[in-house]
């Protein structure tokens, strides 16, 4: 039994030996794993600290700096605001400049109109004064001729009678034949003087009648609000009538009011009357050149500008379609627009759109 117990003990020891070895190797592996884990953790910790320090010193390229973006947006917004204010300032400056140009153009147009009205009034007054002076001169001439004829007749009779009276007084004789001759000659001289005086009176009356005919002809002119005009020349309208807003004048390079229309034409082309009327004034203007003003009646007047080689004179009665003159070279005020005819219609001195009356 002792042998058997020893054998069992040996067998037990043999079985426990491998188990001890396995336990020892497991402990070693566990220790190695623990040590390895510690080393790995330490390495990771060191690496993390290094990476963090590196990131603080030099930020990565792919990191977006939102602060910079916000600052950039604020700067862009400020730039846009500044640009907007600059655009508004520029628009206000342009509007102010246009308003000043418009005011200057209106003032220039009013000045031009005032000058034209003053010129027309002065011309009309001058024509009236000349007419009155002519009438007064004609009347004075007629009276002086009549008085002169009578005075001359009396002087001749006195001269004829004085020799006869002296002769008769000196001789104391009454010669019948001489008396008859003297009476005959006196009768002939009286008849001649009376004829001359009557001729002078007739001429004076004829001059007065001519003046009255001209005045009556102008008083018979009639141009109602329903009457129309004919085109004085065929051409395109270069500048339209506009008194409610300014229009652009290319030569002057500015906007201003236009009391007339400007019709394109060819230099030397004939211009005809647009309506029946009487020439009341012919004058020269730096802007529209040689101009002819015609009275149509009822307060209406037509002004033709840019003329030359006139076929009419002041006081002439002109019928529709009758030749007035020819187209002149444009003045320096219309050098860009080119050769043209200035055509203006007024009613009691106030401009009227000619296009509304042209047929």
């Amino acid at each position: 039994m002792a042998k058997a117990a020893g054998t069992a003990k040996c067998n037990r020891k043999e079985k426990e030996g491998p188990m001890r070895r396995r336990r020892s190797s497991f402990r070693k592996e566990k220790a190695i794993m623990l040590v390895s884990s510690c080393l790995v953790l330490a390495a990771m910790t060191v690496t993390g600290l290094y990476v963090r320090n590196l990131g603080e010193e030099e930020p990565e390229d792919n990191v977006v700096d939102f602060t910079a973006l916000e600052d950039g947006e604020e700067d862009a917004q400020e730039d846009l605001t500044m640009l907007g204010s600059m655009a508004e300032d520029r628009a206000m400056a342009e509007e102010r400049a246009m308003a000043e140009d418009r005011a200057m153009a209106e003032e220039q147009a009013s000045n031009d109109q005032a000058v034209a009205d003053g010129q027309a009034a002065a011309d009309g007054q001058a024509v009236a004064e000349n007419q009155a002076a002519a009438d007064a001169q004609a009347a004075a001439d007629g009276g002086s001729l009549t008085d002169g004829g009578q005075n001359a007749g009396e002087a001749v009779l006195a001269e004829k009678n004085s020799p006869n009276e002296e002769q008769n007084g000196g001789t104391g004789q009454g010669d019948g034949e001489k008396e008859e001759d003297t009476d005959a000659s006196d009768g002939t001289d009286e008849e001649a003087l009376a004829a001359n005086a009557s001729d002078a009176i007739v001429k004076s009356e004829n001059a007065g009648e001519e003046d009255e005919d001209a005045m009556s002809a102008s008083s018979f002119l009639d141009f109602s609000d329903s009457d129309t005009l004919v085109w004085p020349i065929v051409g395109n309208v270069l500048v339209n009538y506009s008194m409610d807003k300014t229009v652009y004048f290319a030569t002057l390079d500015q906007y201003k009011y236009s009391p007339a229309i400007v019709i394109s034409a060819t230099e030397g082309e004939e211009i005809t009357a647009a309506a029946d009327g009487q020439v009341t004034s012919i004058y020269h203007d730096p802007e529209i050149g040689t101009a002819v003003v015609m009275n149509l009646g009822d307060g209406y007047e037509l002004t033709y500008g840019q003329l030359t080689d006139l076929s009419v004179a002041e006081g002439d009665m002109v019928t529709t379609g009758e030749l007035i003159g020819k187209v002149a070279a444009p003045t320096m005020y219309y050098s860009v627009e080119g050769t043209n005819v200035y055509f203006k219609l007024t009613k009691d001195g106030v401009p009227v759109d000619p296009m509304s009356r042209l047929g």
Side-chain angles (χ1 to χ4, degrees):
M1 291 190 61
K3 186 178 181 180
T7 302
K9 188 177 181 178
C10 289
N11 291 332
R12 196 167 43 251
K13 288 181 178 180
E14 289 177 358
K15 290 181 180 181
E16 290 178 355
M19 292 180 66
R20 289 194 186 97
R21 286 195 295 270
R22 283 198 295 272
R23 289 174 183 169
S24 176
S25 62
F26 179 72
R27 289 192 187 95
K28 290 178 180 179
E29 291 177 358
K30 188 176 181 180
I32 290 170
M33 290 179 66
L34 289 173
V35 172
S36 299
S37 299
C38 291
L39 292 174
V40 170
L41 289 173
M44 292 178 66
T45 302
V46 173
T47 303
L49 293 173
Y50 175 77
V51 170
R52 186 182 66 180
N53 294 331
L54 184 62
E56 292 178 353
E57 293 176 357
E58 297 179 1
E60 296 180 358
D61 295 336
N62 59 352
V63 176
V64 178
D65 189 357
F66 292 99
T67 304
L69 289 177
E70 292 177 356
D71 295 339
E73 290 179 357
E74 292 178 356
D75 294 339
Q77 187 67 28
E78 291 178 357
D79 293 339
L80 290 175
T81 304
M82 185 178 296
L83 289 175
S85 62
M86 291 176 63
E88 291 178 357
D89 294 340
R90 183 175 181 181
M92 290 178 65
E94 291 178 353
E95 184 176 358
R96 191 180 302 109
M98 291 181 64
E100 292 177 355
D101 292 340
R102 191 181 299 111
M104 292 178 63
E106 292 175 358
E107 184 178 358
Q108 182 66 28
S110 62
N111 292 336
D112 294 342
Q113 185 63 35
V115 171
D117 295 340
Q119 182 67 30
D123 293 338
Q125 184 177 1
V127 171
E129 291 176 354
N130 292 334
Q131 186 66 36
D135 295 340
Q137 184 66 32
D141 293 340
S144 63
L145 286 173
T146 303
D147 297 338
Q150 293 178 351
N151 294 331
E154 294 176 354
V156 171
L157 288 174
E159 291 177 357
K160 293 290 185 181
N161 291 329
S162 60
N164 292 329
E165 292 176 353
E166 291 176 356
Q167 185 176 1
N168 292 332
T171 59
Q173 298 177 356
D175 191 348
E177 294 179 356
K178 291 182 179 180
E179 289 178 357
E180 291 177 358
D181 294 338
T182 302
D183 293 337
S185 62
D186 292 341
T188 304
D189 293 335
E190 289 178 357
E191 291 177 358
L193 291 173
N196 293 331
S198 63
D199 291 340
I201 294 172
V202 169
K203 290 180 180 179
S204 176
E205 291 178 352
N206 291 335
E209 289 177 357
E210 291 177 357
D211 295 335
E212 290 178 357
D213 291 339
M215 294 178 64
S216 62
S218 62
S219 63
F220 283 132
L221 290 173
D222 181 25
F223 190 80
S224 65
D225 295 338
S226 60
D227 289 336
T228 58
L229 302 170
V230 298
W231 286 84
I233 198 168
V234 178
N236 296 325
V237 177
L238 300 176
V239 179
N240 290 311
Y241 168 91
S242 180
M243 292 299 291
D244 56 349
K245 61 180 181 179
T246 58
V247 295
Y248 182 70
F249 284 76
T251 303
L252 302 177
D253 191 21
Q254 68 177 4
Y255 287 85
K256 67 174 187 174
Y257 291 103
S258 175
I261 62 173
V262 178
I263 308 171
S264 65
T266 304
E267 187 173 349
E269 193 174 356
E270 294 183 347
I271 303 172
T272 56
D276 296 343
Q278 183 181 22
V279 178
T280 58
S281 175
I282 297 175
Y283 65 95
H284 184 79
D285 183 81
E287 183 174 354
I288 64 173
T290 301
V292 174
V293 180
M294 289 179 54
N295 177 25
L296 307 184
D298 300 325
Y300 283 96
E301 285 187 337
L302 273 177
T303 302
Y304 306 82
Q306 306 279 5
L307 306 183
T308 188
D309 297 337
L310 298 181
S311 302
V312 295
E314 292 184 359
D316 289 351
M317 297 298 298
V318 182
T319 59
T320 303
E322 186 176 347
L323 180 65
I324 298 176
K326 295 182 180 180
V327 180
T331 63
M332 63 180 180
Y333 290 85
Y334 292 94
S335 59
V336 175
E337 288 84 356
T339 309
N340 65 84
V341 175
Y342 182 87
F343 189 64
K344 181 174 74 171
L345 175 66
T346 59
K347 165 69 172 175
D348 297 327
V350 179
V352 179
D353 186 3
M355 296 296 294
S356 64
R357 309 301 292 274
L358 285 170

